[in-house]
Each structure stands twice: as structure tokens, then as C-alpha cells.
Amino acid sequence: MRTNLSSITMALRDELLKSIWHAFTALDVDKSGKVSKSQLKVLSHNLCTVMKIPHDPVALEEHFKDDDEGPVSNQGYMPYLNKFILDKVQDNFDRQDFNKMCWTLCFRKNLGQSQLLISNDDAFKIWCIFNFLSEDRYPLIIVTEEIEYFLRKLTEAMGGSWVEERFEDYKLHLDSKQQCLNAWELISVVGAGHFSKGMDRQTLSMGINDVYQELILDVLKQGYMMKKGHKRKNWTERWFTLKPSSISYYVGEDLAEQKGIIILDGNCTVEPLPDKEGKKCLFLIRSSLKSFEISASDKKKKQEWIQAIQICVSLLRQGRPAPHREARQKRRELRLRQQAEQEELELRMRELQTANEAKQLELEKMRKALEESAANAAEEEKKRLQTQTELQDRYKMDLEREKLVRQQMEEQMAQKSTELEQYLQRVRELEDMYRQLEDALEDERRARQDEETVRKLQARLLEEEAMKRAELEQIHLRQQRAISETEAEKQELERERLAKESALQAAMKQLEHLEQERQGALEQYQTVMKKLEDAANNTKSWKHKVAEHEGLLRLIQPGSKGQKLITNWGPAAFSEAELSLREKKWQEMKNQAE
């Protein structure tokens, strides 16, 4: 456990030193490697503030009390930085605020006012990604392999396809820069849009943000899902973000309002649940404190979330870092191992070359010795020929001995020539082995690139399939809403039709009632007319009798009458008072019917 904490502390220290190095270098205006004490005081105070460390203003003066008031070098500032700041730091501060502070100190000096396709915030995110992927040596640089890794992830995040030929052409340009870039060169490469042709600025910015969230903020997965409440048991849509040790959920994807957090540890479990309560694609997260029921939008997302959470729990149990951090460490270890193998191979080649040169010198010495021996033998032969006639008998045995020596020397020369040929054959074999080793390394590199290309293509196809499924789901939801709205309008029209039918029936009843009243009034009118006719006939008979009795010849005619009332049924058979009374009753009956 102590070893794990120590490694975490060292990793945190290395990450912090990279950002601090940028800030210190920015304060070095004349590039002399030194910064004034007053600037270092301000830098130290800002570092302590943003990392939540108690700041001792006297500590810097005490640490450099033996020095003069001149500037302090990076090497001289490092002991103070380690003792009074980095040794006290805890992982309880906002890394983004810390990086923002260091970025503010350095970007104005190093980032030119050229026309870039990215904003200042996007440049800051690329700067943070550079610090994450850069080598652990100063001045900070990012090698070709990490540049390709970042550009590949950026292209995938923008939804584009990786063009290997374009990067190979760019690598030829990098050869003049020892196949590496600094932070500001990397920002210029991305901001110039060389690897994002055909993409607009918004797409490029979204791609940079996605890579930044994964590599810097450790966001392994994010998206909308439904969560069941613990108190009211209702289902609410939340935006979930998965990190290596926690799952946070918010009201929306802008992360403005956090509603809760699920702490992950080695004891957490995640398991699928059957469909219930009208919810599908359910799974359960069991933490040490609570259990959370989650509903994904489809089976694919459900399985992706379950696998991602299980990977995080497995890494926590094994004490391993996040996948992208572990992959970065493996790439660095592989580069170091390959570098060591390359250095070892170069050392062996130098040793073989040295041995070859030594053998060549030895053979040259032997050749000179043989030439000298041959010259000496020729001289002796000449002398012998000169004295042969005189000393033929005397030196006969010496001549035989000389022939024997010459034969031995020739055998030695033949043997040495054979050894030399075998040595040269061995050197040629070693050269062939070296070429085969280079070919094998090249084949392995190409196979890995092909495998990475196929894997990225499969991931892109899966992502496109998920997008198509999401679009079909949206179309289905819109169709359901349209059907619901049509059904509601149909019900509203049915209610209006029933209301109108009810009003029509009431009006029909009222019309029938009025018809009955009119019939009754007509019958009354006929009765009154009958009585009037009887009275008129009776009056005529009496007048006739009186006229006959009194001898009158003229009959008395009735006088003129006033204007008669006219109704819907003809001349009125009732007075105005009766008409007013009838109108009042009819109005009351109409109000009651309504």
C-alpha cells in the first residue's frame, strides 16, 4: 500500500513539475536559465494558493539567504520547490485551476498571434494534453509516436478517418526537428488545420474537448440514462460521467448542477436486471453505501456501461491506473526497451567492428611479416646462388632445411587465409542477421499499425451503428408523440360533437314545447272566434227583432276596431297583458331548458 501511494505521489509530482517548468521558463525573459527572486516569490505564492498549501513568505528568503539579490536558476529553485511546496502537496486541489494558472503565465509569451482555427481555451487543452503525453525529460518534447497517438484520437473524436499518407509526409518534415515537437509547435500543428481538413471549427473544438476529457479529466464514458430515486422511487433522466474511481450524475451535460456521486472501490459490483415498471435495459450498481438502479436507452449502451464499470472496479482491485494512463506508461516502457535494445545492438556492432579492425591489423602485420620473410628468403637465395658453386656440398643440408621452413610458412599462410575467410563469413552472417532483425522489427511495426487501423475501423462502425439506432429511436418517439396528439384531438372533437348533439336535442325539445303552446293558443283562438260569431249572430237576431218591432229599416253595424295584434299564428286572440305574461313564461321555460 505504501509503495502504491508513493508511486501515485511521484506520478503527481512529475505531472505538476511539467506545468511549473512552463511557468518558470516563461518568467525567464532573456533565456538565461535564471529568474529574479521577486518573480519566484509571486510564483511560489500562486502555487501554494492554487494547491491549497500554507504559504510561508519567509521560507524563500531563508532558503536563499546565502545568495545575493540576483536571479535564481532553475537548479537552485528546485530544492526549495521540492521541500516547501511539492513535499506538502495533497491530491485535494483542482488540477484544472492549477494548470490554468501556469498556462496564464506562459501562453502570452510563447503563443503567437497567428491565424489559428482554435480558441484560447482549445489551445489550453492541447497544452494540457502535451504535458500528459510528453517525455519525462527537460526541455519538454513529444515524440513522433505520441504525436500520431494524439492526432489519431483527435481525428476519431471529430468523426473523420485517419490518413496514414498525410502523417507519413509530415514525419519527413519532422526529421529535421529530430522527430519531436514542443508544446507550442503542437498547438500550431493542430490550430493550422493540417490534420482537420474538411472539418469546421466547432467540430475541431468538440474533438479537442473529447480527447481532453478522456486523457486529462479521466472521463472514461459519459451519456444520458434514467436513474431511480431512493426516496420517491421516481425515474429521472441524468447525465452520467464515469471516472476510474467514481460515477457522477448531473441535471444536464453542461455539468452545471451535480445531483450525486457513486464512489467506486474494489468491493463494488454491477449486474443486469430484468425489465420492470415499464423500464427496459436495467442494471444495478452496488456500492459500499447504496445501490443504484439505472436504465439505459438500449441494450448496446447497457452492455457498454456494465463493461466500462466492471473494468474500473477490476483496475481498482488490482491497484492499476486508468486505461489511457496505463497505455501511456506501456508505450514509454516499450520505447525505453526498444531504445535499450537499439543501443545494445549498436554496441555489439561497434564491438564487432573493433574486433574486425583488430583482425585486419593482425592480418596486415602477418602480411608484412610474410613479405619481409619472402624478401629475406629471396636475399638469402641470391646469396646462396652466388656461393652455390663453392658451398654446394657444404650447404646442401641447409638448403633442405630452408625448403622445409618455406613449406611450413606456406602452410601457416594457408591456415591464416582460411581463418580470415571464416572470420569474413561470420561477419557477413552477422550483417545478414542484423538486416533480418531490422526487417522483423519493420514487419512487427506494420502489423501493429494494421491491427490498430482495423480496431479503429470497427470502433467507428460501431459508433455509426449506435448513431443510426439513436436516430431511429428519435423518429419512433416523434411518431408516438404525433399519434398521441392526433388521438387527443380526436377525443376533443368527439366531446364537441356530443355537446352540440346535446344542445341540438335541447333546442328540439324547446321547439316541440313552443309548437305545443302554439297549438294550444290556436285552439283558444278558434274557441273565442266561435263565441264571438255566436254573439254576433245573437246580436243580429235581436237587432232584427227590434227593427221589425219599431219599424226601422237600417241595421246597426258594429263600430271600427283598433289595430289588431299579429303573432306567429295569426291575429292575436288575447290582449297585450296576456301577451306579456306569455312571453315571460316562455322566457322562463327557455332558461330552465338551457
Side-chain angles (χ1 to χ4, degrees):
M1 186 65 180
R2 291 182 178 178
T3 304
N4 190 17
L5 289 176
S6 176
S7 62
I8 293 175
T9 304
M10 290 301 298
L12 176 61
R13 183 186 293 259
D14 292 339
E15 292 182 9
L16 298 178
L17 277 175
K18 291 181 178 181
S19 299
I20 296 174
W21 178 82
H22 282 289
F24 185 91
T25 307
L27 296 177
D28 181 13
V29 180
D30 55 359
K31 298 183 180 180
S32 63
K34 296 183 179 181
V35 179
S36 64
K37 283 186 179 180
S38 59
Q39 290 178 313
L40 289 181
K41 287 180 181 179
V42 176
L43 175 61
S44 302
H45 181 269
N46 290 336
L47 290 175
C48 292
T49 301
V50 76
M51 290 191 290
K52 300 180 180 180
I53 301 172
H55 179 57
D56 186 2
V58 188
L60 185 63
E61 291 292 342
E62 290 293 328
H63 186 73
F64 296 104
K65 62 183 178 180
D66 296 333
D67 295 342
D68 57 8
E69 295 298 326
V72 181
S73 66
N74 185 20
Q75 291 79 7
Y77 181 63
M78 280 301 297
Y80 167 80
L81 181 65
N82 287 322
K83 179 178 180 181
F84 293 97
I85 297 179
L86 296 181
D87 287 346
K88 300 177 182 179
V89 70
Q90 301 292 330
D91 197 3
N92 61 346
F93 63 95
D94 192 335
R95 301 274 190 92
Q96 193 169 6
D97 291 343
F98 168 77
N99 288 328
K100 279 284 187 183
M101 187 272 293
C102 295
W103 163 261
T104 304
L105 292 176
C106 65
F107 87 93
R108 290 188 179 90
K109 176 184 175 182
N110 297 282
L111 191 62
Q113 301 298 323
S114 57
Q115 296 295 327
L116 298 179
L117 299 176
I118 58 176
S119 63
N120 186 34
D121 185 58
D122 292 334
F124 163 71
K125 293 176 181 177
I126 297 175
W127 180 78
C128 294
I129 295 171
F130 168 85
N131 291 338
F132 176 74
L133 298 176
S134 62
E135 300 298 298
D136 293 333
R137 61 177 184 268
Y138 297 90
L140 293 175
I141 53 99
I142 180 171
V143 297
T144 307
E145 181 182 0
E146 298 297 336
I147 296 173
E148 182 178 3
Y149 171 78
F150 167 59
L151 293 178
R152 278 181 180 273
K153 293 193 74 66
L154 180 59
T155 304
E156 293 171 6
M158 292 188 297
S161 58
W162 176 251
V163 181
E164 189 70 30
E165 293 77 10
R166 186 183 301 172
F167 186 75
E168 290 297 331
D169 295 340
Y170 183 71
K171 284 173 65 176
L172 297 176
H173 172 69
L174 283 179
D175 289 340
S176 61
K177 299 183 179 181
Q178 300 180 351
Q179 296 187 350
C180 62
L181 295 176
N182 60 29
W184 317 110
E185 291 171 340
L186 181 63
I187 293 174
S188 299
V189 168
V190 179
H194 181 68
F195 291 93
S196 59
K197 290 183 178 179
M199 303 290 181
D200 55 14
R201 294 190 177 188
Q202 184 178 4
T203 303
L204 177 59
S205 177
M206 293 175 63
I208 294 172
N209 185 62
D210 290 344
V211 179
Y212 172 79
Q213 285 194 349
E214 178 182 352
L215 299 184
I216 307 303
L217 301 183
D218 293 335
V219 176
L220 305 181
K221 191 171 182 59
Q222 57 185 347
Y224 280 107
M225 292 190 295
M226 303 293 291
K227 186 187 80 69
K228 186 176 182 180
H230 289 91
K231 295 181 179 179
R232 292 189 294 176
K233 305 299 181 182
N234 58 332
W235 290 89
T236 310
E237 186 179 46
R238 295 288 183 243
W239 176 265
F240 288 81
T241 59
L242 172 63
K243 294 186 177 182
S245 60
S246 65
I247 304 175
S248 303
Y249 50 94
Y250 304 82
V251 174
E253 55 185 299
D254 56 358
L255 310 181
E257 182 180 354
Q258 181 175 349
K259 302 300 291 184
I261 185 170
I262 305 173
I263 303 299
L264 300 179
D265 54 28
N267 297 322
C268 290
T269 60
V270 57
E271 57 187 21
L273 293 177
D275 298 343
K276 63 177 181 178
E277 300 177 3
K279 295 296 179 182
K280 298 182 178 181
C281 304
L282 298 174
F283 61 94
L284 179 67
I285 303 175
R286 297 183 185 273
S287 66
S288 57
L289 299 177
K290 292 181 180 179
S291 296
F292 298 83
E293 291 188 28
I294 310 295
S295 172
S297 58
D298 53 55
K299 293 182 179 179
K300 182 176 179 293
K301 285 188 173 57
K302 168 187 173 181
Q303 190 63 28
E304 289 176 354
W305 274 96
I306 292 176
Q307 290 180 354
I309 297 172
Q310 287 175 344
I311 290 174
C312 292
V313 173
S314 177
L315 293 176
L316 289 172
R317 289 173 183 169
Q318 300 173 15
R320 293 163 54 190
H324 58 275
R325 295 183 180 274
E326 188 175 23
R328 178 195 62 175
Q329 187 62 29
K330 287 182 178 179
R331 291 196 303 273
R332 289 183 178 178
E333 293 175 355
L334 179 60
R335 283 199 299 274
L336 293 175
R337 189 162 57 250
Q338 291 177 347
Q339 184 178 359
E341 292 175 355
Q342 182 68 22
E343 292 176 353
E344 182 180 359
L345 184 60
E346 291 177 355
L347 179 61
R348 290 179 59 187
M349 292 300 296
R350 286 195 296 269
E351 291 176 352
L352 288 174
Q353 186 176 2
T354 303
N356 187 21
E357 292 175 354
K359 288 290 184 182
Q360 292 289 344
L361 291 175
E362 184 179 355
L363 289 175
E364 185 66 22
K365 290 180 180 178
M366 290 178 64
R367 187 183 63 78
K368 289 181 179 181
L370 289 174
E371 289 178 353
E372 291 176 357
S373 299
N376 293 332
E379 185 69 22
E380 289 177 0
E381 181 68 16
K382 183 178 179 181
K383 290 179 181 180
R384 188 187 64 78
L385 290 174
Q386 291 177 357
T387 59
Q388 182 178 9
T389 56
E390 298 177 358
L391 302 175
Q392 184 175 4
D393 295 336
R394 181 180 176 182
Y395 291 105
K396 186 176 182 179
M397 294 180 63
D398 293 335
L399 181 60
E400 294 293 330
R401 189 183 301 111
E402 183 179 348
K403 290 181 179 179
L404 180 62
V405 170
R406 183 181 297 176
Q407 183 178 1
Q408 291 177 351
M409 290 179 65
E410 289 176 354
E411 290 177 354
Q412 290 179 359
M413 289 180 63
Q415 184 179 0
K416 293 295 184 181
S417 299
T418 304
E419 292 178 358
L420 177 61
E421 185 64 27
Q422 292 177 353
Y423 174 75
L424 292 177
Q425 181 65 26
R426 179 60 178 169
V427 170
R428 286 192 292 271
E429 291 176 355
L430 289 175
E431 290 177 351
D432 292 337
M433 291 174 60
Y434 179 72
R435 285 193 295 271
Q436 292 175 2
L437 178 59
E438 287 182 341
D439 294 338
L441 290 174
E442 182 64 21
D443 293 339
E444 181 182 1
R445 185 184 68 81
R446 290 177 179 175
R448 288 182 179 177
Q449 289 180 352
D450 294 340
E451 180 185 0
E452 183 70 15
T453 301
V454 172
R455 187 180 67 80
K456 299 300 182 183
L457 178 59
Q458 291 177 350
R460 182 172 62 80
L461 291 175
L462 289 174
E463 183 178 358
E464 291 178 355
E465 181 182 358
M467 292 174 62
K468 292 295 183 181
R469 290 178 179 271
E471 291 177 359
L472 291 175
E473 185 69 21
Q474 292 295 329
I475 293 173
H476 177 69
L477 290 176
R478 287 196 294 270
Q479 290 178 350
Q480 291 295 328
R481 284 196 294 269
I483 291 172
S484 300
E485 292 174 357
T486 305
E487 190 67 27
E489 292 176 357
K490 181 178 179 181
Q491 293 177 0
E492 182 65 24
L493 291 173
E494 184 66 20
R495 284 195 296 270
E496 291 180 359
R497 186 184 67 80
L498 292 176
K500 289 181 179 180
E501 287 182 356
S502 178
L504 179 61
Q505 291 178 359
M508 290 296 293
K509 290 180 179 180
Q510 185 177 357
L511 183 61
E512 291 177 357
H513 183 70
L514 292 174
E515 184 68 24
Q516 291 175 0
E517 286 186 349
R518 186 185 69 80
Q519 190 68 28
L522 183 59
E523 291 177 356
Q524 291 179 1
Y525 170 72
Q526 292 176 354
T527 303
V528 171
M529 288 299 293
K530 185 79 164 68
K531 290 180 179 181
L532 182 60
E533 184 178 357
D534 293 339
N537 293 331
N538 193 15
T539 303
K540 286 180 180 180
S541 63
W542 280 104
K543 286 181 178 180
H544 183 66
K545 289 179 180 181
V546 170
E548 289 178 352
H549 185 271
E550 295 179 349
L552 295 177
L553 296 176
R554 183 178 58 90
L555 296 176
I556 300 174
Q557 298 293 329
S560 62
K561 298 182 179 179
Q563 186 177 0
K564 296 182 179 179
L565 295 175
I566 303 300
T567 66
N568 293 332
W569 304 284
F574 37 81
S575 63
E576 291 185 0
E578 291 177 339
L579 178 61
S580 299
L581 182 61
R582 288 178 179 273
E583 287 180 352
K584 183 177 180 181
K585 289 182 179 181
W586 177 81
Q587 188 66 34
E588 289 177 354
M589 292 175 64
K590 181 179 179 182
N591 293 336
Q592 291 177 359
E594 292 178 354

